[in-house]
Amino acid sequence: MLSHLLHLAGIESIILECRSRQYIEDRVRAGVLEQGTVDLMIETGVGERLQREGLRHDGVWFSFGGRRRRIHLSELTGGRAITVYAQQEVVKDLVQARLDAGGQIVFDVEDLTVRDLDSTRPKIRYRKDGDAHELVCDFIAGCDGFHGICRPTVPDGVITAYERVYPFAWLGILAEAAPTSEELIYTYNQRGFALFSMRSPQVTRLYLQCAPDEDLAEWPDDRVWEELCARMRTEDGWAPAVGPVFQKGVTGMRSFVIEPMQFGRLFLAGDAAHIVPPTGAKGLNLAISDVLTLTRGLEAFYKSGRQDLLDQYSATCLRRIWKVQRFSWWMTSMLHLFPGDDGFDHRRQLAELDYFTSSRAGMSSLAENYVGLPLD
Ligand code: DHB
């Protein structure tokens, strides 16, 4: 998305990707786009398939105590909503758009290193098909994820990290089963959290709270379905439809933020700079807001020689990031079973769910954050 936005601003960029095109286009991740992400894709000409295949949801459900309550997102937010469209579909659309516009993406690069970050000519060295290459750049954007090489390259003492690790994870499946609800359902249950989502009119996406070191070998499909149904079945008999499972994985949970997100001419964006726990589906959307802010800074630099927006990159991004961190932490805290709870948390969580699904003020706050805070 950064490369696409820079291209539209007349700024040349090269993407170096250590994986293959097929790998990044097949990798299963989350699938909920905020309204601002959808609008940005449409406005910048990469929203055609999203508009055709994306599933717009005007509401979201919360299930607890055997009953469900709906939050009417668009009614509470002046017409805003979320759209279900898998992250790898976003990746496919953006890769295609860059290649169609003559953009350069080098896949399968190896041994990538960055250097001279505090000079005006930072450099990237890498190998492709065994040959060594060096790129001399104006700027480097570290969009290489939590385990990427860019963040660790910043000298000690520059960056402070803030972190929370949660005592649970999510076991997620994709199943060939027609979704039995048109909208997402977040379930709080004494057996643990569960989430009903979807990818298409034929594919259901489901998650359940599990241990952080959960062994997938102990979760044959039958056990997964049994547990999902036990957690999600409501008093009126609603339950997810069961079908063949074709993907299964465990997602860890952490909150992580670094400050600042810049060192010299290296700008970190997305998971390289922050991780949110998945509850609320904010990860991709937060990465999009970072690169939009970076594009504005680079545009001001090239068009009018202004450095100020780039200097404020970190502070501008962090203002939004911390609000989204708060929301993701809060959704996680409200909906998961905490090991060692003596009953206090359970009662506090039920009261919180009751309040935020019945008070107009509570529902408005939840909806405003869920559809996405404004992009700067
Ligand atoms: C999905 C993932 C999330 O983390 C979430 O909060 C909602 C939906 C999903 O993958 O569909």
Side-chain angles (χ1 to χ4, degrees):
M1 182 55 113
L2 176 60
S3 183
H4 173 62
L5 295 174
L6 290 174
H7 166 68
L8 297 179
I11 301 166
E12 195 189 341
S13 67
I14 298 181
I15 301 172
L16 301 174
E17 169 60 63
C18 65
R19 304 287 189 173
S20 68
R21 179 174 182 183
Q22 173 145 21
Y23 180 91
I24 63 164
E25 292 189 349
D26 288 347
R27 179 168 47 187
V28 174
R29 292 284 170 89
V32 174
L33 306 186
E34 293 179 350
Q35 186 67 56
T37 302
V38 170
D39 293 345
L40 184 67
M41 287 184 65
I42 294 170
E43 281 161 19
T44 63
V46 286
E48 193 260 330
R49 199 161 63 93
L50 165 64
Q51 281 177 293
R52 227 177 335 114
E53 296 176 16
L55 306 169
R56 179 187 157 100
H57 290 185
D58 288 292
V60 60
W61 293 84
F62 286 81
S63 170
F64 56 100
R67 298 193 188 178
R68 284 201 274 161
R69 287 200 189 145
R70 183 169 186 263
I71 310 250
H72 199 317
L73 298 169
S74 50
E75 197 222 353
L76 291 159
T77 59
R80 295 161 72 77
I82 54 138
T83 298
V84 171
Y85 189 67
Q87 180 165 322
Q88 70 269 30
E89 304 307 320
V90 175
V91 170
K92 278 180 207 159
D93 295 344
L94 287 168
V95 166
Q96 196 58 54
R98 288 310 297 125
L99 296 178
D100 288 348
Q104 287 190 67
I105 311 179
V106 189
F107 291 101
D108 301 298
V109 305
E110 293 172 313
D111 301 335
L112 191 147
T113 56
V114 295
R115 64 191 66 223
D116 302 337
L117 301 175
D118 51 357
S119 77
T120 54
R121 284 282 175 270
K123 295 171 194 69
I124 305 177
R125 289 188 187 157
Y126 64 95
R127 285 183 180 279
K128 165 77 181 169
D129 300 327
D131 297 331
H133 298 265
E134 182 175 84
L135 276 179
V136 181
C137 318
D138 289 343
F139 298 95
I140 298 174
C143 308
D144 54 348
F146 183 68
H147 300 287
I149 59 105
C150 286
R151 191 179 67 248
T153 313
V154 177
D156 286 350
V158 173
I159 285 176
T160 307
Y162 300 90
E163 187 167 31
R164 278 274 180 288
V165 178
Y166 300 87
F168 38 73
W170 284 7
L171 192 161
I173 60 164
L174 281 167
E176 279 167 43
T180 46
S181 163
E182 286 187 359
E183 294 170 342
L184 270 59
I185 307 170
Y186 288 84
T187 298
Y188 173 76
N189 182 277
Q190 274 187 292
R191 301 174 73 102
F193 168 79
L195 171 60
F196 177 92
S197 181
M198 66 207 66
R199 285 294 176 268
S200 73
Q202 298 81 34
V203 173
T204 308
R205 176 74 164 145
L206 299 140
Y207 299 96
L208 57 87
Q209 176 181 352
C210 63
D213 55 353
E214 197 72 56
D215 180 5
L216 273 182
E218 287 175 28
W219 286 89
D221 297 354
D222 286 353
R223 182 176 174 211
V224 175
W225 284 118
E226 207 175 295
E227 192 58 33
L228 282 167
C229 290
R231 294 184 191 188
M232 288 198 270
R233 188 175 290 111
T234 44
E235 276 174 5
D236 60 8
W238 183 87
V242 172
V245 175
F246 62 93
Q247 202 267 346
K248 201 186 282 175
V250 173
T251 308
M253 310 272 274
R254 79 169 75 223
S255 302
F256 175 83
V257 184
I258 59 158
E259 297 183 0
M261 294 162 58
Q262 176 201 357
F263 173 68
R265 290 221 167 176
L266 172 70
F267 291 82
L268 298 167
D271 283 8
H274 42 73
I275 296 282
V276 285
T279 334
K282 293 300 186 198
L284 173 154
N285 297 289
L286 212 43
I288 295 284
S289 61
D290 289 350
V291 298
L292 185 58
T293 304
L294 185 52
T295 301
R296 301 244 162 95
L298 291 169
E299 209 175 350
F301 178 85
Y302 284 109
K303 293 215 168 119
S304 39
R306 281 174 57 186
Q307 181 80 36
D308 57 327
L309 292 188
L310 283 178
D311 291 344
Q312 291 158 22
Y313 169 74
S314 199
T316 304
C317 289
L318 284 164
R319 246 192 336 268
R320 190 171 189 279
I321 288 163
W322 274 112
K323 289 185 199 116
V324 178
Q325 283 289 355
R326 183 211 65 86
F327 178 70
S328 305
W329 161 86
W330 171 73
M331 284 277 283
T332 302
S333 311
M334 178 166 70
L335 288 161
H336 290 77
L337 211 64
F338 280 79
D341 175 32
D342 59 4
F344 182 93
D345 277 334
H346 176 57
R347 283 158 182 79
R348 191 249 321 153
Q349 287 166 307
L350 287 175
E352 206 163 20
L353 280 159
D354 190 10
Y355 172 71
F356 278 96
T357 56
S358 60
S359 145
R360 188 155 180 103
M363 292 191 292
S364 294
S365 169
L366 198 161
E368 179 183 35
N369 283 277
Y370 196 69
V371 301
L373 296 175
L375 296 170
D376 263 329

